[in-house]
Amino acid sequence: MVQRFLPDAFLFAIILTCIVFLMGTVFTDSSPVDMVNYWGDGFLGFAGFCHADVADCCDGIHIGQYANREKAFDQIEQTC
């Protein structure tokens, strides 16, 4: 029942982006072009972090599902 009345998370992201954009242009000395550049620079910096985080999660899942994980951990300990 809640799914009928609760909007999609993407809609919240768009609305909050618009609010921050408007507040940034009204309450600071930044132009709309500056605000777009700030958003783009911040997003690209965050994308690198997300890539590393996803890689860590995928590695953890694969190690956890490995059938002979105790043997694999012993081999990793011996090489370190």
Side-chain angles (χ1 to χ4, degrees):
M1 177 158 176
V2 173
Q3 292 176 354
R4 237 183 342 165
F5 300 108
L6 188 66
D8 189 30
F10 184 69
L11 182 63
F12 283 121
I14 296 297
I15 291 170
L16 289 175
T17 300
C18 292
I19 290 171
V20 168
F21 182 83
L22 290 174
M23 289 179 70
T25 55
V26 171
F27 295 117
T28 64
D29 294 332
S30 300
S31 68
V33 174
D34 290 336
M35 293 299 293
V36 171
N37 287 332
Y38 296 148
W39 189 89
D41 292 340
F43 179 75
L44 292 177
F46 186 65
F49 168 76
C50 289
H51 180 268
D53 199 28
V54 168
D56 290 342
C57 290
C58 291
D59 291 343
I61 289 170
H62 288 294
I63 289 173
Q65 292 178 347
Y66 188 60
N68 298 322
R69 63 178 161 252
E70 290 180 22
K71 184 179 176 183
F73 287 139
D74 289 339
Q75 289 176 354
I76 291 171
E77 286 177 2
Q78 290 174 1
T79 58
C80 292

